[in-house]
Amino acid sequence: DIQMTQSPSTLSASVGDRVTITCRASQSISSRLAWYQQKPGKAPNLLIYKASSLESGVPSRFSGSGSGTEFTLTISSLQPDDFATYYCQQYNSDSTFGQGTRLEIK
Amino acid sequence: EVQLVESGGGLVQPGESLRLSCAASGLTVSSNYMNWVRQAPGKGLEWVSVIYSGGGGTYYADSVRGRFTISRDNSKNTLYLQMNTLRPEDTAVYYCARGYFFNYFDHWGQGTLVTVSS
């Protein structure tokens, strides 16, 4: 099984900050990685697929990069609506998610 | 607009069974890769099962293989998850999700909570 490890587990930031979340795969997954945002009591929402492709309707302040085993999600200027938990997901071999990164207000 | 609405969750005892449903609108279940993904309370996401478009082949996570069965009713445009021999570790919110083939998940339901406890 491919393991996905996100860092940090919790991130404190302020509105307007630029933040980056990292996701590492235990083996190469090419660019077969997605990012999701989840708010409390709600279903996850797809942000990025194929490592760097922005899902329709997602604000352009979200971007993704990486390939192989290391990937990043960047939010260029945090907005109040962005405080949530973020998950990466590999779909190169079955499907596994990272443990999540909680983005909280500083 | 795509809508996925899960139902059927509840409290059951270990060893019992439960069937979840996911009624779809705005998409045709039989033409899509439909999945179940679960989330234990306060924990991360775990993919559970997929049913492929067309012929309806199925695939399961190791943690549920042999106990859970995914299926669909094309006439009702509804996805199901039959869960047998439930364990406390199956306690979770269960989401149905449309997969872009067997890749990422671009449409999700609101989830239904399954609690397995004596």
Side-chain angles (χ1 to χ4, degrees):
Chain A
D1 289 6
I2 297 177
Q3 309 301 318
M4 305 300 293
T5 303
Q6 289 182 232
S7 60
S9 296
T10 306
L11 179 57
S12 297
S14 302
V15 172
D17 285 353
R18 178 185 180 90
V19 299
T20 297
I21 299 168
T22 298
C23 180
R24 289 185 174 87
S26 59
Q27 64 190 74
S28 177
I29 58 170
S30 185
S31 295
R32 299 176 69 79
L33 184 106
W35 289 97
Y36 301 84
Q37 177 193 69
Q38 187 179 34
K39 296 181 179 178
K42 301 293 186 182
N45 181 50
L46 176 67
L47 301 174
I48 301 283
Y49 61 93
K50 209 163 62 177
S52 60
S53 296
L54 192 68
E55 173 69 349
S56 175
V58 174
S60 59
R61 63 181 180 273
F62 292 91
S63 63
S65 65
S67 66
T69 62
E70 187 151 336
F71 302 85
T72 59
L73 173 71
T74 298
I75 309 172
S76 60
S77 178
L78 272 175
Q79 299 302 301
D81 191 50
D82 300 337
F83 293 95
T85 299
Y86 293 84
Y87 293 94
C88 62
Q89 175 223 355
Q90 70 80 19
Y91 48 91
N92 186 67
S93 174
D94 291 351
S95 176
T96 49
F97 293 86
Q99 83 279 12
T101 293
R102 182 175 170 235
L103 178 54
E104 61 180 28
I105 301 173
K106 184 185 287 184
Chain B
E1 178 193 4
V2 173
Q3 281 200 313
L4 301 170
V5 180
E6 300 95 335
S7 60
L11 173 64
V12 296
Q13 295 193 343
E16 293 186 339
S17 299
L18 203 59
R19 189 179 81 156
L20 306 183
S21 301
C22 171
S25 59
L27 65 78
T28 301
V29 166
S30 62
S31 299
N32 285 277
Y33 284 55
M34 298 300 298
N35 299 262
W36 289 97
V37 179
R38 68 184 181 183
Q39 186 171 36
K43 302 297 184 183
L45 299 161
E46 180 188 16
W47 171 80
V48 172
S49 182
V50 61
I51 185 166
Y52 302 137
S53 61
T58 59
Y59 191 56
Y60 300 90
D62 289 345
S63 57
V64 307
R65 186 173 294 119
R67 299 188 299 124
F68 290 10
T69 302
I70 190 171
S71 64
R72 68 190 184 209
D73 184 328
N74 296 345
S75 66
K76 296 182 178 179
N77 206 31
T78 297
L79 177 73
Y80 300 101
L81 186 68
Q82 177 68 42
M83 304 185 295
N84 297 333
T85 320
L86 282 160
R87 305 167 179 168
E89 56 264 36
D90 295 319
T91 294
V93 173
Y94 284 74
Y95 297 100
C96 69
R98 197 277 291 260
Y100 182 78
F101 297 97
F102 190 37
N103 296 324
Y104 49 88
F105 309 114
D106 56 1
H107 295 285
W108 297 68
Q110 85 289 351
T112 187
L113 176 62
V114 173
T115 304
V116 185
S117 174
S118 55

